[in-house]
Amino acid sequence: MARTADNPIKRLGRQVWIRALRINLSMNPELSSSGRALKWAGLERELLMVYSDSASQGRLQGVRGVVKHGNDPRRLVRRIAQSELGSAPPAGAKQVVRGVSGRSAPGETKPEKSVYWEIPIDLVEAGEKLCPGSASWENAYLWRLAYPALPSLEDIRSKIAELKARLELCSPSLDEYRGLLPEAKFAALSRLSHAQLVKRYVLSLKPLAKHPTADSLSLLAALVAECYVTDQEVLLQLHRDAFHKAVEILLLHPLMADIAAPFRDWISLPVLTGAWQFPAVYHVSSLMEPFIPFEAWAKMLHKSGHIGLQSCCSPPIDQHRLK
């Protein structure tokens, strides 16, 4: 993968995070001190006030870099001249001596150096305090599934279980309904046709698609990936349809308009088209699969004429050793 600083998917994730934060605050204005919907400058001032009043003083530009370029919102620094600091500096601030920026006014002589306070800022942390749950966008599993190499099936399934728990969802098997439903209802449930099962399953996905969040989009993408790896065609298509609807609902918001195209190209398209490499080979124990040496397996492949065939358990075959 590319370095974080140059990684377009990482940068896009940050751009989605800051927009989703503003959207959430617009929908819940009571979370902000002003009690009304915020523009970008207002959002930044609100985030910086989480640190202290002093951190929100002066000209503000940090959020703009996240919005436009996906700059790292966890590594911002506010630099305020000591003479302009209106209150005590927050914890973690340090004094530095730097050259004075800006032009002098006519007849004014500025000193070459001045004392500043540098305040480290983590906008994601501030956003989480302001709007709990907003940080989930920054490291959503969705971004991991946009890369060509899929995680292992175990990792995907483990993440699905984690996301289901966070979304307060479960998926009971038919047998788990036994004893919980009246006998007649359980009998009717067990006799559902394939078409009825599909309809029932699609209905269960609708809330995830209708209200896209970092966790719901990540869950739908992970379900697509799992069915892709395990070759479950019906479920694969159902999950793709739900994921596509969720993405389009997310991108309908005007704040998402300027990043809609890269989101579709870099995130949505790989999931919908299955443009993935299969995960690395992993081991599953079985009584039917006892261990044999690589060399013995390679000789069997050679003897049967399958020289070019690679098994899930075989290393690259050294043709010269078999001659």
Side-chain angles (χ1 to χ4, degrees):
M1 296 180 189
R3 292 176 302 167
T4 298
D6 304 320
N7 190 324
I9 292 175
K10 190 76 173 177
R11 286 183 176 274
L12 180 61
R14 295 167 183 157
Q15 291 177 299
V16 173
W17 162 76
I18 192 66
R19 285 163 174 78
L21 177 60
R22 183 176 162 188
I23 291 169
N24 285 339
L25 288 173
S26 297
M27 294 172 63
N28 302 280
E30 70 280 2
L31 295 176
S32 68
S33 61
S34 65
R36 64 178 189 272
L38 300 169
K39 294 186 177 181
W40 290 124
L43 173 60
E44 180 165 19
R45 202 171 294 279
E46 198 79 30
L47 291 171
L48 293 176
M49 285 177 66
V50 170
Y51 284 85
S52 71
D53 289 341
S54 59
S56 63
Q57 294 175 18
R59 188 180 179 189
L60 309 177
Q61 292 181 314
V63 159
R64 290 289 181 179
V66 183
V67 173
K68 291 184 177 181
H69 309 296
N71 292 349
D72 192 344
R74 290 190 179 274
R75 301 179 65 183
L76 299 179
V77 175
R78 291 281 291 127
R79 184 180 296 162
I80 302 173
Q82 182 170 268
S83 59
E84 297 174 4
L85 194 66
S87 58
K94 66 177 183 179
Q95 278 190 334
V96 296
V97 178
R98 295 286 186 270
V100 177
S101 59
R103 294 181 179 180
S104 300
E108 179 188 12
T109 302
K110 281 190 175 183
E112 291 184 5
K113 302 284 185 179
S114 185
V115 178
Y116 294 86
W117 281 99
E118 283 190 347
I119 305 170
I121 300 293
D122 184 334
L123 291 182
V124 177
E125 182 182 274
E128 187 64 18
K129 291 177 181 177
L130 197 61
C131 184
S134 60
S136 60
W137 277 107
E138 187 200 21
N139 292 311
Y141 197 60
L142 174 65
W143 315 132
R144 173 64 185 86
L145 296 174
Y147 291 103
L150 275 177
S152 69
L153 182 58
E154 284 93 341
D155 183 86
I156 294 170
R157 285 177 166 170
S158 176
K159 186 57 68 171
I160 288 172
E162 179 186 323
L163 289 165
K164 282 167 56 182
R166 279 161 53 173
L167 290 164
E168 299 183 351
L169 293 172
C170 59
S171 48
S173 66
L174 175 63
D175 196 55
E176 288 175 295
Y177 281 103
R178 194 186 303 273
L180 301 178
L181 296 176
E183 189 173 329
K185 284 191 174 182
F186 179 80
L189 186 63
S190 63
R191 291 196 298 268
L192 290 178
S193 66
H194 177 76
Q196 289 172 320
L197 288 172
V198 168
K199 183 178 180 180
R200 175 172 172 255
Y201 193 86
V202 168
L203 286 173
S204 76
L205 296 176
K206 275 193 173 181
L208 293 172
K210 189 176 180 180
H211 304 288
T213 64
D215 286 345
S216 65
L217 276 170
S218 294
L219 176 58
L220 290 171
L223 290 169
V224 172
E226 185 213 15
C227 294
Y228 175 80
V229 174
T230 56
D231 202 25
Q232 300 183 74
E233 286 296 330
V234 173
L235 284 171
L236 176 63
Q237 192 55 52
L238 297 182
H239 293 149
R240 277 176 172 165
D241 290 345
F243 176 76
H244 177 64
K245 289 175 184 175
V247 167
E248 292 308 308
I249 289 173
L250 175 74
L251 298 181
L252 271 177
H253 197 283
L255 285 177
M256 295 290 181
D258 61 327
I259 60 169
F263 193 101
R264 290 188 180 100
D265 290 345
W266 301 342
I267 310 299
S268 185
L269 197 60
V271 175
L272 293 174
T273 61
W276 288 312
Q277 300 167 8
F278 272 92
V281 173
Y282 51 85
H283 176 74
V284 179
S285 297
S286 171
L287 284 173
M288 297 299 294
E289 299 174 5
F291 296 95
I292 65 171
F294 276 143
E295 188 170 0
W297 181 248
K299 285 182 177 178
M300 290 177 66
L301 290 175
H302 178 72
K303 188 174 181 180
S304 65
H306 294 88
I307 297 298
L309 181 65
Q310 292 294 296
S311 162
C312 64
C313 67
S314 62
I317 299 172
D318 185 342
Q319 302 281 342
H320 298 288
R321 290 182 62 193
L322 300 178
K323 293 180 180 178

